[in-house]
Structure formats: C-alpha cells, structure tokens
Amino acid sequence: MRTATAGVRATARIHATGDGRGGTALPVLAGEGPLAPRRTRAGAGEARVVLVGAMSGPLGGDHLTVEAQVAEGARLRVGSAAATLALPGQTGGGARYDVRLTVADGGELHWLPEQLISAAGSDLTVRTRAELGAAGRLVLREEQVLGRVGETPGRLTSRLTLRVAGRTVLDQELACGPGAPGGWDGPAGLGGHRAVGQLVVVRPEFAARPVPARLLGEGAALMPLAGPAALVTAVAPDALRLRRLLEAARADLG
C-alpha cells in the first residue's frame, strides 16, 4: 500500500527447475503489491510467465524488484501483460526497479517484457543484472520510450550488467531526460529519437564462433561481446519501430 511519505516496496520471485520429464516446473511463483506473476500456457519443454501490473507505477518513492532463477535443464520465458509506465509520485522522490536474473549451466531464459515508458515528471532508475553459468542461455530485450505522445520525458537512468561464468562481459548505463548529463539527446546519444532498446543474446557456441559486427538497418547495430554473447543496440522515433528493429535482430540471430 502506498502512503504520502513512502512508496511501495515489492518483490516478485520466479524459480524454474526441470521437472524430470523434459519440461519445466515453477516451484516458486510469487509476487507482492503491483507485481503479479502469472503462469500461462507452456510451450514445448518451457514454462511461460507473464508479469501483470496489479497497480499503477512505478511511482516516485517505489522500489520494485523482480527475481528470476533458472536451474539446469529448465527453460523459462517471461513477458509482461502491458507496458510499464513510470510516473511521478506525491513526494517528488525517485523510484527504483531492479531486475535480477540467474541462469545455471544448461538453463535457458527468454526475458521479453513490454516497453518501459518514462512519463513527464517521473524519475526512475532501472538496474538489470544477469548472472549466467558458462553453458547458460539468455535472450534479453529492453525497450525504453521517453515520454508519452506529445509530452517531454521524465528522468530515466538504466544500467545493464551481464556476467557469464563469473566474468563481466557487459556493463553499460544510459541516462536520459531532465537532469541527465549533457549530450544524451545529441548525435553521440539518441540523436533526437525517443525510443531506445537493447537485445542481448548469450549462447555457448558464440565463444567459438563470435557473431560479426554489422549494421542491422537504419538505427540498429550488432556487436559481439567479450564472451559467448552478442549485443544489439537500437534507436527509433517510436516504440513500434523499435520493436520491429529488435525483433528483426532476434530473428536474424536465430
């Protein structure tokens, strides 16, 4: 419950394990406050979960955390029912949204939420951290939209860290909106675009055969990382164009 002096503190936990029959079980599927994970119809050998927003937010002062753990032999796909809308709170403070992903050797996670929209007056810090074993697999998509139609964006700081077998292969941060370091919207940053996203793909076979760096049409680039991983970064004028760029890159990577 929110009050005028403090925001929501809530955590959602998703644990996926092999069920011994070639499928995936979810021994832990729990949420609090605005975070409501729901199991949906499974695919072949994988479990599927959708995060449903039970309340508006995150608002200023909120601190939300989502944890997903995938054990050896398990396959998990996580999406969200709708976009996440960052809004200003009554106290004027900032909000936090932490995502913690863990994938064991032989596990596979597809983390594919809908867009995060930074509404005018909001101040949100997003921290995503993924830890994988050497033989873990990951597909992670992040999409951020700066402002709703016709409005200025809020302040958004997003950091993404990826570690594979105890080694950091990606650690990047982007700050946008009022109060962000100068140049974020210039040619070396978003170049006037209002949607930005990343696609991270981790596969053990990339260690021996890294993907070649290349452009993926206008506004997107594919880069190999110093590990069994690849990164696609894209900018676009709107959320629809951004999704098309990232989904085309996901299909290109198989």
Side-chain angles (χ1 to χ4, degrees):
M1 178 177 182
R2 293 191 173 96
T3 69
T5 58
V8 167
R9 302 294 186 271
T11 300
R13 295 181 175 87
I14 308 166
H15 294 182
T17 62
D19 63 5
R21 303 185 302 275
T24 299
L26 296 174
V28 177
L29 185 63
E32 302 170 333
L35 301 173
R38 299 288 185 262
R39 184 165 191 165
T40 62
R41 185 182 298 273
E46 74 175 8
R48 297 185 178 181
V49 173
V50 171
L51 284 170
V52 178
M55 299 167 59
S56 63
L59 306 185
D62 289 355
H63 188 174
L64 309 181
T65 303
V66 180
E67 300 175 355
Q69 297 182 17
V70 181
E72 181 179 358
R75 296 175 59 202
L76 175 64
R77 183 182 297 264
V78 180
S80 57
T84 297
L85 180 62
L87 295 166
Q90 295 179 353
T91 63
R96 285 182 57 89
Y97 199 122
D98 293 327
V99 177
R100 302 167 185 164
L101 311 176
T102 305
V103 183
D105 285 344
E108 182 172 342
L109 172 62
H110 290 241
W111 186 262
L112 303 169
E114 294 301 309
Q115 299 94 347
L116 167 65
I117 301 172
S118 175
S122 65
D123 183 357
L124 177 64
T125 297
V126 180
R127 182 74 166 87
T128 302
R129 185 178 181 89
E131 292 269 358
L132 277 74
R137 293 175 177 269
L138 174 69
V139 177
L140 181 152
R141 184 185 68 211
E142 284 191 342
E143 298 169 311
Q144 291 143 5
V145 180
L146 305 182
R148 292 168 291 191
V149 175
E151 75 173 6
T152 59
R155 170 72 182 270
L156 176 63
T157 302
S158 176
R159 185 170 180 179
L160 173 60
T161 303
L162 170 67
R163 288 171 54 84
V164 180
R167 178 187 180 189
T168 300
V169 299
L170 176 67
D171 192 358
Q172 67 175 22
E173 182 173 290
L174 176 67
C176 304
W184 68 269
D185 200 24
L190 302 190
H193 293 293
R194 283 297 178 267
V196 58
Q198 296 78 232
L199 178 74
V200 176
V201 179
V202 182
R203 293 183 184 155
E205 54 265 34
F206 286 171
R209 298 186 301 276
V211 299
R214 61 187 186 274
L215 295 177
L216 300 175
E218 185 178 354
L222 169 64
M223 295 166 286
L225 299 177
L231 170 68
V232 176
T233 301
V235 294
D238 54 48
L240 179 60
R241 175 59 180 163
L242 178 67
R243 174 64 60 87
R244 288 174 175 169
L245 286 170
L246 293 179
E247 286 303 285
R250 190 156 69 102
D252 186 68
L253 289 169

